[in-house]
Amino acid sequence: KMAVLGEMSSFIVHEINNPLSAISMATELIQMRNEDEDNTNSLEELKSSIQSKTKDIDQYVGQINETISVISKIIDSLKTVTRKPKKDCSNVSLLSVFERSKTILSGKIKKQHLSVKSIGLENVSLKADEGDLIQVMVNLISNSIDAIQGFEDKWITVEWKENELIITD
């Protein structure tokens, strides 16, 4: 578990740093727009400025919310893997495990310009510990990513077929 987390940490830092930079820029733009209000001379200019600012601020707030959502998904996926080992077997959606694994590996996937898709995972539910299952899938997908680094056409498929999980790269 620690080896996987160590390998992923630089990608995770990068994936969290980018959205934080976007949030920082959006808040700076909002502050600059507020400072511009002092330069308005007439009531008409003030009205126009306020309408323009409202559109801009709505757009910036939307961007901030989207980036916060990205960070939350990364952190939620990591929490599931890194939580203290208490075996909690329950019905776990294989598609959810796949999506969370992709989120954890998103930096590595982007860096390698990979296509990672699933087939037949939508209606599969397994009785398992979710954290353990995510850890296994992260390891398998990560191994596939490492195995195809030198290839030009890079893709990975995670498929559920006849009660087997098949990962093809």
Side-chain angles (χ1 to χ4, degrees):
K1 190 183 258 189
M2 292 307 290
V4 170
L5 288 174
E7 182 181 324
M8 295 181 323
S9 64
S10 66
F11 295 108
I12 293 164
V13 167
H14 177 74
E15 287 302 304
I16 291 176
N17 232 1
N18 280 347
L20 287 176
S21 295
I23 290 170
S24 178
M25 283 192 297
T27 55
E28 283 181 33
L29 289 170
I30 290 170
Q31 286 174 331
M32 287 190 322
R33 294 290 290 166
N34 280 340
E35 290 170 3
D36 288 346
E37 191 172 287
D38 295 337
N39 298 329
T40 57
N41 296 325
S42 69
L43 183 58
E44 207 50 49
E45 286 178 346
L46 184 59
K47 278 184 185 177
S48 175
S49 174
I50 289 171
Q51 287 174 343
S52 175
K53 281 183 191 181
T54 301
K55 283 183 187 175
D56 289 346
I57 290 173
D58 287 346
Q59 179 183 352
Y60 300 143
V61 169
Q63 290 171 351
I64 290 169
N65 286 332
E66 285 176 30
T67 54
I68 288 171
S69 177
V70 168
I71 293 170
S72 293
K73 285 180 185 176
I74 292 169
I75 290 170
D76 285 346
S77 296
L78 283 173
K79 277 197 260 181
T80 303
V81 174
T82 59
R83 71 173 190 255
K84 291 185 180 172
K86 65 171 182 156
K87 301 302 173 199
D88 181 26
C89 289
S90 59
N91 286 330
V92 178
S93 161
L94 199 52
L95 182 60
S96 173
V97 168
F98 171 76
E99 292 298 333
R100 289 177 140 199
S101 299
K102 269 182 59 175
T103 299
I104 290 171
L105 291 168
S106 62
K108 195 171 186 178
I109 291 168
K110 284 179 190 173
K111 185 176 182 184
Q112 295 297 324
H113 306 290
L114 289 173
S115 166
V116 181
K117 55 186 166 180
S118 69
I119 300 172
L121 305 183
E122 297 78 20
N123 298 316
V124 180
S125 181
L126 303 174
K127 187 159 180 95
D129 179 79
E130 187 177 28
D132 286 349
L133 207 50
I134 291 172
Q135 185 178 349
V136 168
M137 191 168 295
V138 164
N139 283 334
L140 291 171
I141 294 172
S142 184
N143 289 345
S144 287
I145 292 170
D146 293 342
I148 62 174
Q149 277 187 352
F151 291 82
E152 212 172 286
D153 183 27
K154 301 177 199 176
W155 53 267
I156 298 171
T157 303
V158 178
E159 180 179 11
W160 183 258
K161 186 176 181 181
E162 298 176 11
N163 290 328
E164 288 186 338
L165 184 65
I166 301 167
I167 298 181
T168 309
D169 57 47

